[in-house]
Amino acid sequence: MPRTKRDVSKSMVALVLSLAALTALGLSSWVPGWLGRDSGMADVAPGMLQVDQQARGIATLGGGVTASLYDSGLRLSHDDDILTETVLRGSFLSAVVGTTEGAGNATTEHVEHEYNHLHITDLRFLPGRAVYTGTVSDGSNSLPVEIRIELAGPVVRIGFSVPLASGVVVHLAHKPATTGLPPVLPFRNLRRNDFWLPAETGRSDPAFTTVLGTDVAIGPAGVARGVDQRSSGRLDLHVWSSSAVVTVSSRPNPSPR
């Protein structure tokens, strides 16, 4: 029996729907990785950065390593090589009040309040160490901040302390080829993704590296810590403690991994 135009139209509609379903099924295997994982990590954005005149300038830590702080941000260098630098013309530290639940990949943040605006008021310089003090605020209320940068042989340690906060978020500048380092993070480009560090990760265990050739570790141990690169132009380090330490190689490693 010959097929009518209506039969042909129904067949075409069924074919299109089948192809659409297959396409959606295929996309489901890679779209979540392209868009970034839903890890339960909050998007905490940097606010404004203000650096008073007496806190600006370059602090020499020894071994060719320097820390420079201006209204444009914070930069660590070894001679002419950049080791790491923070977001451009924005607060490189936010403090949060809230809680977390779960552990490792199952961690979920519940941020109740954010203090995003950083004001650095003073610099105390000791041999091999620069100590910055100031406040982080929400525009109305503020919390005290202390930032310590010190050279410790093969690494530079940056300590952030906000005594009245539940957690802190460090805002680094995005660098190409930001790649996870096993066993802490998977060996892959972290672009558009966010990851919680395994609970057993130590404060000196490198979590990722960048095109700058430096490895970065996040501490302290025993608290929820995450790496968030979902937002364009920045890499956020989440640490659920009133103090955090970011450890960076004191010399770049130019050799490929």
Side-chain angles (χ1 to χ4, degrees):
M1 181 176 180
R3 301 177 66 186
T4 65
K5 290 183 178 180
R6 180 176 296 179
D7 293 333
V8 173
S9 297
K10 288 182 177 179
S11 298
M12 291 300 294
V13 170
L15 177 60
V16 170
L17 291 175
S18 298
L19 290 174
L22 288 172
T23 301
L25 183 62
L27 286 173
S28 67
S29 65
W30 61 269
V31 166
W34 174 57
L35 293 176
R37 302 182 309 122
D38 182 12
S39 68
M41 198 177 299
D43 180 17
V44 179
M48 296 182 295
L49 172 64
Q50 180 182 354
V51 183
D52 289 355
Q53 184 64 40
Q54 61 268 26
R56 299 178 188 175
I58 299 175
T60 301
L61 304 178
V65 176
T66 58
S68 60
L69 178 62
Y70 296 95
D71 286 333
S72 56
L74 175 68
R75 173 182 289 180
L76 298 184
S77 302
H78 178 272
D79 294 333
D80 295 330
D81 297 315
I82 299 173
L83 301 176
T84 192
E85 56 188 349
T86 61
V87 290
L88 181 64
R89 298 192 179 280
S91 168
F92 55 87
L93 179 68
S94 294
V96 297
V97 174
T99 59
T100 65
E101 61 179 344
N105 289 334
T107 302
T108 299
E109 293 179 329
H110 301 286
V111 175
E112 300 167 5
H113 197 80
E114 301 178 13
Y115 298 84
N116 305 90
H117 307 299
L118 180 63
H119 182 192
I120 301 297
T121 57
D122 192 31
L123 164 64
R124 289 185 291 115
F125 184 67
L126 303 170
R129 177 185 298 175
V131 181
Y132 300 91
T133 53
T135 60
V136 62
S137 76
D138 60 3
S140 299
N141 301 304
S142 62
L143 302 176
V145 169
E146 181 178 271
I147 301 168
R148 294 189 175 207
I149 306 176
E150 59 184 346
L151 178 64
V155 298
V156 182
R157 294 195 183 102
I158 315 169
F160 302 89
S161 178
V162 187
L164 300 178
S166 305
V168 299
V169 181
V170 180
H171 306 289
L172 300 180
H174 164 71
K175 296 300 178 184
T178 300
T179 305
L181 294 176
V184 177
L185 293 180
F187 185 66
R188 53 163 294 182
N189 196 310
L190 304 183
R191 184 171 177 260
R192 295 185 179 180
N193 278 275
D194 57 333
F195 294 90
W196 289 106
L197 274 60
E200 65 273 14
T201 300
R203 77 166 192 168
S204 300
D205 296 335
F208 63 90
T209 187
T210 73
V211 70
L212 298 176
T214 52
D215 296 349
V216 180
I218 309 165
V223 302
R225 290 157 289 166
V227 177
D228 184 359
Q229 200 171 13
R230 293 171 297 177
S231 299
S232 176
R234 73 179 202 262
L235 172 65
D236 294 336
L237 311 181
H238 292 232
V239 180
W240 277 87
S241 171
S242 61
S243 61
V245 58
V246 177
T247 303
V248 183
S249 307
S250 61
R251 287 177 178 267
N253 179 10
S255 62
R257 293 180 183 276

